[in-house]
Amino acid sequence: MTEHYFHLKANWPGNRNDIGSIHALNLQTKISIPEEMDGPGVGTNPDEMLLGAATTCYIITLAAMLERSKIEKVSLVVESSAVVDVTDGIFTYKKIIHRPTLVIVNEKDFKMATRLLLKAEDTCMISKALKGNVEIELEPTLLVGV
């Protein structure tokens, strides 16, 4: 068994509406509560970071699957949205919607590419970690062209 460790240090100098910071090997930024939740909206926040983790995991997983399947692509872009429900002052991260747009070179790969667009979501480790807690939807677009 091989384990990988990732480290992050967070600093929060004050109360709810202050501005903190996070530092990891390749990520350094300010953090605060978003304006939508009556915070200062400086830097990033947990909601964006969870969305970013889910989106980057999906797109990297899909790219790896396409490569292993020898499907040549022209482009791959994913736009994602998160839905946070607020009921009685309680915030719940409800849903992530991925909207991948994949343009492939060969028509013959269309069926396999369609399968991989869906399979990548089930294979991504972040999606697996969220399963049962956060709904993840896919609205894929697959095109053939150069």
Side-chain angles (χ1 to χ4, degrees), residues 36-69:
E36 299 86 351
M37 297 177 180
D38 298 321
V42 175
T44 191
N45 57 69
D47 306 286
E48 285 181 342
M49 291 182 65
L50 184 58
L51 181 60
T55 303
T56 56
C57 185
Y58 174 77
I59 199 169
I60 291 169
T61 301
L62 178 56
M65 294 172 96
L66 292 167
E67 181 180 340
R68 279 193 301 274
S69 298

Side-chain angles (χ1 to χ4, degrees), residues 68-121:
R68 279 193 301 274
S69 298
K70 297 184 179 11
I71 296 176
E72 196 176 345
K73 65 179 174 53
V74 176
S75 65
L76 171 58
V77 176
V78 177
E79 294 185 23
S80 298
S81 302
V83 179
V84 176
D85 178 62
V86 183
T87 303
D88 298 325
I90 298 172
F91 294 86
T92 304
Y93 210 102
K94 184 176 176 182
K95 181 185 342 185
I96 292 173
I97 306 161
H98 293 310
R99 295 176 189 90
T101 300
L102 172 61
V103 181
I104 59 173
V105 173
N106 296 312
E107 175 78 34
K108 68 175 180 57
D109 294 325
F110 196 89
K111 187 174 181 179
M112 175 61 81
T114 300
R115 282 189 44 228
L116 295 180
L117 277 162
L118 302 174
K119 187 176 180 184
E121 186 54 48

